[in-house]
Amino acid sequence: MTQNGVRAEARVAQSLVHLPLLWGIFHTVEWRCLHEDRRGEAIGEADVVVFHPHHGLIVFEIKAGAVQVQDGQWFYASGLAMKQSPFAQARRNRYALIDKLRQRLGRDAADALTVTHAVWFPDVLWKGSVPGTEAPSRAFLLDRAALTDPAPALLRIFREAAPNAQPWTRAQQHALKELLAPDCQQLVPLATHVDDAAHALHQATEQQVAVLRMLRSQPRLLVEGGAGTGKTVLAVALAREHAALGRSVLLTCFNKALAQALTALLADVPGVTVQPFHELARTQALAAGLAYEVPTDSREQGLFFNERSAELLLQAAETGSGARYDTVIVDEAADFAATWWVALEALGAPHFSWYCFYDRQQCLFQSTDQWEPPFTASPMVLDANLRNTRPIGEAAARMGRCAMPPTFRVDHGVPPTALQSSDFAQMAVQLRTLLRELLGNQGLRPEQIVVLSPYRRDNAASAWAAGLDACPTTDALAAPLPGLVRVGTVQGFKGLESDVVVLVGIDLRCMRHPANLYVGASRARAALYVLALADAGLAA
């Protein structure tokens, strides 16, 4: 490809990156298929494929610079004739993609989906119509004007190609990801069972793909990144890959709810054990015949979970009666104490692989200053925020006094809303009104909303919880449940995410623990509401 061609594709890519969440973009899609006479292979490459789960696919051919058309023949600005028109190239790539979809989905299912093609000239303003019968209308030819706001032009193509397009099912979307992005097909959001509005077809960033390739080649690796940078997604992808190689895999974390969500994501993968650390210690200790008795005294409980449980896990591992793992993966590793690393290492088989994903800014259960990773290595760093819109991500960073992410997958979105109250009783009224508004006028479903607080709602001081009577709720955090708003603590929801987060019960004490605010706010993908006491001095 010429430098002009590279620059033209880069301009289109820069334009498409600002599309809303539901859109999926695949760049430089290579395809292969047999010739019709079965002699040899045809190989081609689509410049960019644009996807929307409610509408379908557009296969684009991108042409740099000016072109000329004379008597149906297309010419470059230099006067050199093209071998075939840009529309013919796009059409060829479209049919190749359809053939691939037929192989994966079946002919009838694939043919029911909308797959069309178009051409984009990002360097020129096209005057006039489309030459000859190259395309149904001018809508299928995009030029420089479409770079500023491509969504209307893309939707116009879909409307003309198939005004009553069939939405793509999750299975069809998964098949598309496997087809167009096989190197990172497992890089999907952690959230489960939410509607298509929250299930954007995420592309892996170049940064994620680089880390995934490094993970494949290194037996031990540290991966550091802020909230929403895709650490958990990579951990799941890695667990799948190692299990597929016949390795026994342990994936552990601190949070029970996160472990439940990870278990659901990996339920179809044999050879992977998913357990939160303390449950791992309990099961291993009991299997080794050791007593695992949690004290009733709160201070003694803290010591037990921070120290004694790890000692029991180490003792159990040293008996040799438990499982040994070829691969150990730790998610949210900043929650792990130094003594826990010794116990985990004892569970590794000879020459086991070890991977840790962490964010020092999210240390809720360990001291940030004292925390250390299990081994010495230069971490791979993820710094592109793929979960939050920029307004939410920047608000979370300010609230948590954290470093601002340099880039966001989505630059635009609804600004966070901060509501102040004089006391928790008034906050309860605000919470009730807000939930009714979100579920009524705003048309959100209960399962799209999570209400989080640094304090449990059954805490005697949590008078704000009276506002939860506006809707049915559940304390189960791991996955959305139809018709129920999830309610829990910030600590209990760490590692998970939701379309909408209501961060409630914020008082002056919370301001002494900014990590809680950062973790809570950064759980929100699309909308964030913060309910704080006026004397807390917080503005989202």
Short mmCIF file of all heavy atoms in Angstrom, two decimals, residues 341-372:
data_model
loop_
_atom_site.label_atom_id
_atom_site.label_comp_id
_atom_site.label_asym_id
_atom_site.label_seq_id
_atom_site.Cartn_x
_atom_site.Cartn_y
_atom_site.Cartn_z
N TRP A 341 1.25 -14.66 48.17
CA TRP A 341 2.03 -15.09 47.00
C TRP A 341 2.77 -16.39 47.28
O TRP A 341 2.87 -17.25 46.42
CB TRP A 341 3.03 -14.01 46.61
CG TRP A 341 2.45 -12.68 46.20
CD1 TRP A 341 2.89 -11.45 46.60
CD2 TRP A 341 1.36 -12.44 45.31
NE1 TRP A 341 2.14 -10.46 46.02
CE2 TRP A 341 1.19 -11.03 45.22
CE3 TRP A 341 0.50 -13.26 44.60
CZ2 TRP A 341 0.20 -10.45 44.44
CZ3 TRP A 341 -0.49 -12.68 43.81
CH2 TRP A 341 -0.63 -11.30 43.74
N VAL A 342 3.27 -16.52 48.51
CA VAL A 342 4.01 -17.74 48.88
C VAL A 342 3.09 -18.95 48.79
O VAL A 342 3.47 -20.01 48.26
CB VAL A 342 4.59 -17.60 50.30
CG1 VAL A 342 5.34 -18.88 50.69
CG2 VAL A 342 5.52 -16.39 50.38
N ALA A 343 1.87 -18.80 49.29
CA ALA A 343 0.91 -19.91 49.25
C ALA A 343 0.52 -20.25 47.82
O ALA A 343 0.43 -21.42 47.44
CB ALA A 343 -0.33 -19.55 50.07
N LEU A 344 0.31 -19.23 47.00
CA LEU A 344 -0.08 -19.49 45.60
C LEU A 344 1.06 -20.17 44.85
O LEU A 344 0.83 -21.07 44.03
CB LEU A 344 -0.45 -18.18 44.91
CG LEU A 344 -1.87 -17.65 45.15
CD1 LEU A 344 -2.06 -16.33 44.43
CD2 LEU A 344 -2.92 -18.65 44.69
N GLU A 345 2.27 -19.73 45.10
CA GLU A 345 3.42 -20.34 44.40
C GLU A 345 3.53 -21.83 44.71
O GLU A 345 3.93 -22.63 43.87
CB GLU A 345 4.70 -19.62 44.78
CG GLU A 345 5.90 -20.08 43.96
CD GLU A 345 7.08 -19.14 44.09
OE1 GLU A 345 7.13 -18.37 45.08
OE2 GLU A 345 7.96 -19.17 43.21
N ALA A 346 3.14 -22.21 45.93
CA ALA A 346 3.21 -23.62 46.32
C ALA A 346 2.21 -24.47 45.56
O ALA A 346 2.35 -25.70 45.50
CB ALA A 346 2.95 -23.75 47.82
N LEU A 347 1.20 -23.84 44.95
CA LEU A 347 0.20 -24.58 44.17
C LEU A 347 0.66 -24.81 42.73
O LEU A 347 0.00 -25.54 41.98
CB LEU A 347 -1.14 -23.82 44.15
CG LEU A 347 -1.88 -23.70 45.47
CD1 LEU A 347 -3.16 -22.88 45.28
CD2 LEU A 347 -2.21 -25.06 46.05
N GLY A 348 1.75 -24.18 42.33
CA GLY A 348 2.22 -24.31 40.96
C GLY A 348 2.95 -25.62 40.70
O GLY A 348 3.72 -26.09 41.54
N ALA A 349 2.68 -26.20 39.54
CA ALA A 349 3.44 -27.38 39.11
C ALA A 349 4.86 -26.94 38.75
O ALA A 349 5.13 -25.73 38.63
CB ALA A 349 2.75 -28.03 37.91
N PRO A 350 5.79 -27.87 38.58
CA PRO A 350 7.15 -27.48 38.18
C PRO A 350 7.13 -26.64 36.90
O PRO A 350 6.44 -26.97 35.93
CB PRO A 350 7.85 -28.83 37.95
CG PRO A 350 7.13 -29.77 38.85
CD PRO A 350 5.69 -29.33 38.83
N HIS A 351 7.85 -25.52 36.94
CA HIS A 351 7.96 -24.61 35.79
C HIS A 351 6.60 -24.02 35.38
O HIS A 351 6.34 -23.76 34.21
CB HIS A 351 8.59 -25.33 34.59
CG HIS A 351 9.85 -26.06 34.92
ND1 HIS A 351 11.00 -25.44 35.35
CD2 HIS A 351 10.12 -27.40 34.90
CE1 HIS A 351 11.94 -26.34 35.57
NE2 HIS A 351 11.44 -27.54 35.32
N PHE A 352 5.73 -23.79 36.37
CA PHE A 352 4.40 -23.25 36.04
C PHE A 352 4.51 -21.80 35.55
O PHE A 352 5.47 -21.08 35.85
CB PHE A 352 3.47 -23.34 37.25
CG PHE A 352 3.71 -22.31 38.33
CD1 PHE A 352 2.92 -21.18 38.41
CD2 PHE A 352 4.73 -22.48 39.26
CE1 PHE A 352 3.13 -20.23 39.41
CE2 PHE A 352 4.95 -21.55 40.26
CZ PHE A 352 4.15 -20.41 40.33
N SER A 353 3.51 -21.39 34.79
CA SER A 353 3.44 -20.02 34.29
C SER A 353 2.60 -19.18 35.26
O SER A 353 1.62 -19.67 35.83
CB SER A 353 2.79 -19.99 32.90
OG SER A 353 3.55 -20.74 31.98
N TRP A 354 2.99 -17.91 35.40
CA TRP A 354 2.33 -17.07 36.39
C TRP A 354 2.09 -15.68 35.78
O TRP A 354 3.01 -15.06 35.26
CB TRP A 354 3.21 -16.95 37.63
CG TRP A 354 2.46 -16.52 38.87
CD1 TRP A 354 1.21 -16.00 38.93
CD2 TRP A 354 2.94 -16.57 40.21
NE1 TRP A 354 0.87 -15.74 40.23
CE2 TRP A 354 1.91 -16.08 41.04
CE3 TRP A 354 4.14 -16.98 40.79
CZ2 TRP A 354 2.04 -15.98 42.42
CZ3 TRP A 354 4.26 -16.89 42.17
CH2 TRP A 354 3.23 -16.40 42.98
N TYR A 355 0.83 -15.22 35.87
CA TYR A 355 0.45 -13.94 35.29
C TYR A 355 -0.38 -13.16 36.30
O TYR A 355 -1.31 -13.70 36.90
CB TYR A 355 -0.34 -14.13 34.00
CG TYR A 355 0.35 -15.03 33.00
CD1 TYR A 355 0.06 -16.39 32.95
CD2 TYR A 355 1.31 -14.52 32.13
CE1 TYR A 355 0.71 -17.23 32.05
CE2 TYR A 355 1.97 -15.35 31.22
CZ TYR A 355 1.66 -16.71 31.20
OH TYR A 355 2.31 -17.52 30.32
N CYS A 356 -0.05 -11.89 36.49
CA CYS A 356 -0.78 -11.06 37.44
C CYS A 356 -1.25 -9.78 36.76
O CYS A 356 -0.47 -9.09 36.09
CB CYS A 356 0.11 -10.70 38.63
SG CYS A 356 0.39 -12.07 39.75
N PHE A 357 -2.52 -9.48 36.96
CA PHE A 357 -3.14 -8.27 36.41
C PHE A 357 -3.53 -7.38 37.59
O PHE A 357 -4.21 -7.85 38.52
CB PHE A 357 -4.38 -8.63 35.60
CG PHE A 357 -4.10 -9.51 34.41
CD1 PHE A 357 -3.95 -10.89 34.56
CD2 PHE A 357 -3.97 -8.97 33.14
CE1 PHE A 357 -3.67 -11.71 33.47
CE2 PHE A 357 -3.70 -9.78 32.04
CZ PHE A 357 -3.55 -11.14 32.21
N TYR A 358 -3.14 -6.11 37.56
CA TYR A 358 -3.38 -5.29 38.74
C TYR A 358 -3.44 -3.80 38.40
O TYR A 358 -3.02 -3.37 37.32
CB TYR A 358 -2.30 -5.53 39.79
CG TYR A 358 -0.91 -5.12 39.35
CD1 TYR A 358 -0.39 -3.88 39.65
CD2 TYR A 358 -0.10 -6.02 38.63
CE1 TYR A 358 0.88 -3.52 39.24
CE2 TYR A 358 1.17 -5.67 38.22
CZ TYR A 358 1.66 -4.42 38.54
OH TYR A 358 2.92 -4.07 38.12
N ASP A 359 -3.98 -3.05 39.36
CA ASP A 359 -4.03 -1.59 39.29
C ASP A 359 -3.74 -1.07 40.69
O ASP A 359 -4.53 -1.25 41.61
CB ASP A 359 -5.42 -1.13 38.83
CG ASP A 359 -5.56 0.38 38.79
OD1 ASP A 359 -4.54 1.08 38.96
OD2 ASP A 359 -6.69 0.88 38.61
N ARG A 360 -2.59 -0.44 40.87
CA ARG A 360 -2.22 0.07 42.20
C ARG A 360 -3.21 1.13 42.69
O ARG A 360 -3.32 1.38 43.90
CB ARG A 360 -0.82 0.68 42.15
CG ARG A 360 0.29 -0.34 41.90
CD ARG A 360 1.64 0.36 41.80
NE ARG A 360 2.71 -0.54 41.45
CZ ARG A 360 3.42 -1.24 42.33
NH1 ARG A 360 3.15 -1.12 43.62
NH2 ARG A 360 4.38 -2.05 41.93
N GLN A 361 -3.92 1.77 41.78
CA GLN A 361 -4.88 2.80 42.18
C GLN A 361 -6.16 2.19 42.77
O GLN A 361 -6.99 2.91 43.31
CB GLN A 361 -5.25 3.66 40.96
CG GLN A 361 -4.06 4.38 40.37
CD GLN A 361 -4.39 5.11 39.09
OE1 GLN A 361 -4.03 6.26 38.91
NE2 GLN A 361 -5.11 4.47 38.19
N GLN A 362 -6.32 0.87 42.65
CA GLN A 362 -7.51 0.22 43.17
C GLN A 362 -7.20 -0.67 44.38
O GLN A 362 -7.89 -1.67 44.61
CB GLN A 362 -8.17 -0.63 42.09
CG GLN A 362 -8.71 0.17 40.92
CD GLN A 362 -9.51 -0.68 39.97
OE1 GLN A 362 -10.55 -1.24 40.31
NE2 GLN A 362 -9.03 -0.81 38.73
N CYS A 363 -6.20 -0.33 45.15
CA CYS A 363 -5.88 -1.10 46.36
C CYS A 363 -6.92 -0.79 47.43
O CYS A 363 -6.84 0.24 48.11
CB CYS A 363 -4.49 -0.75 46.88
SG CYS A 363 -3.14 -1.50 45.94
N LEU A 364 -7.90 -1.65 47.60
CA LEU A 364 -8.93 -1.44 48.62
C LEU A 364 -8.63 -2.23 49.89
O LEU A 364 -9.07 -1.86 50.97
CB LEU A 364 -10.30 -1.86 48.08
CG LEU A 364 -10.86 -1.09 46.89
CD1 LEU A 364 -12.30 -1.49 46.63
CD2 LEU A 364 -10.75 0.41 47.09
N PHE A 365 -7.91 -3.34 49.76
CA PHE A 365 -7.74 -4.24 50.89
C PHE A 365 -6.29 -4.35 51.35
O PHE A 365 -5.99 -5.04 52.31
CB PHE A 365 -8.28 -5.63 50.54
CG PHE A 365 -9.70 -5.59 50.04
CD1 PHE A 365 -9.99 -5.71 48.69
CD2 PHE A 365 -10.75 -5.42 50.93
CE1 PHE A 365 -11.30 -5.66 48.24
CE2 PHE A 365 -12.06 -5.37 50.49
CZ PHE A 365 -12.35 -5.49 49.14
N GLN A 366 -5.38 -3.70 50.63
CA GLN A 366 -3.97 -3.70 51.01
C GLN A 366 -3.45 -2.27 50.96
O GLN A 366 -4.05 -1.40 50.32
CB GLN A 366 -3.14 -4.58 50.06
CG GLN A 366 -3.64 -6.00 49.92
CD GLN A 366 -3.57 -6.80 51.21
OE1 GLN A 366 -2.74 -6.51 52.08
NE2 GLN A 366 -4.43 -7.79 51.35
N SER A 367 -2.34 -2.02 51.62
CA SER A 367 -1.72 -0.70 51.58
C SER A 367 -1.06 -0.49 50.23
O SER A 367 -0.25 -1.31 49.78
CB SER A 367 -0.68 -0.58 52.69
OG SER A 367 0.10 0.60 52.50
N THR A 368 -1.41 0.61 49.59
CA THR A 368 -0.83 0.90 48.27
C THR A 368 0.69 1.00 48.34
O THR A 368 1.40 0.52 47.45
CB THR A 368 -1.41 2.22 47.73
OG1 THR A 368 -2.83 2.13 47.69
CG2 THR A 368 -0.88 2.50 46.33
N ASP A 369 1.19 1.64 49.39
CA ASP A 369 2.64 1.84 49.51
C ASP A 369 3.40 0.54 49.74
O ASP A 369 4.54 0.39 49.31
CB ASP A 369 2.94 2.82 50.66
CG ASP A 369 2.37 4.20 50.40
OD1 ASP A 369 2.22 4.55 49.21
OD2 ASP A 369 2.06 4.91 51.37
N GLN A 370 2.77 -0.41 50.44
CA GLN A 370 3.47 -1.63 50.80
C GLN A 370 3.23 -2.78 49.83
O GLN A 370 3.93 -3.79 49.89
CB GLN A 370 3.02 -2.07 52.21
CG GLN A 370 3.39 -1.06 53.29
CD GLN A 370 2.89 -1.49 54.66
OE1 GLN A 370 2.30 -2.56 54.84
NE2 GLN A 370 3.12 -0.64 55.66
N TRP A 371 2.26 -2.65 48.94
CA TRP A 371 1.94 -3.77 48.05
C TRP A 371 3.09 -4.06 47.09
O TRP A 371 3.72 -3.15 46.54
CB TRP A 371 0.68 -3.49 47.25
CG TRP A 371 0.30 -4.65 46.37
CD1 TRP A 371 -0.41 -5.74 46.73
CD2 TRP A 371 0.65 -4.83 45.00
NE1 TRP A 371 -0.54 -6.61 45.67
CE2 TRP A 371 0.11 -6.08 44.59
CE3 TRP A 371 1.36 -4.08 44.06
CZ2 TRP A 371 0.25 -6.57 43.29
CZ3 TRP A 371 1.52 -4.58 42.78
CH2 TRP A 371 0.96 -5.81 42.40
N GLU A 372 3.35 -5.33 46.87
CA GLU A 372 4.38 -5.77 45.93
C GLU A 372 3.84 -6.91 45.09
O GLU A 372 3.08 -7.75 45.59
CB GLU A 372 5.63 -6.25 46.68
CG GLU A 372 6.36 -5.15 47.43
CD GLU A 372 7.61 -5.70 48.11
OE1 GLU A 372 7.86 -6.92 48.00
OE2 GLU A 372 8.32 -4.90 48.74
#
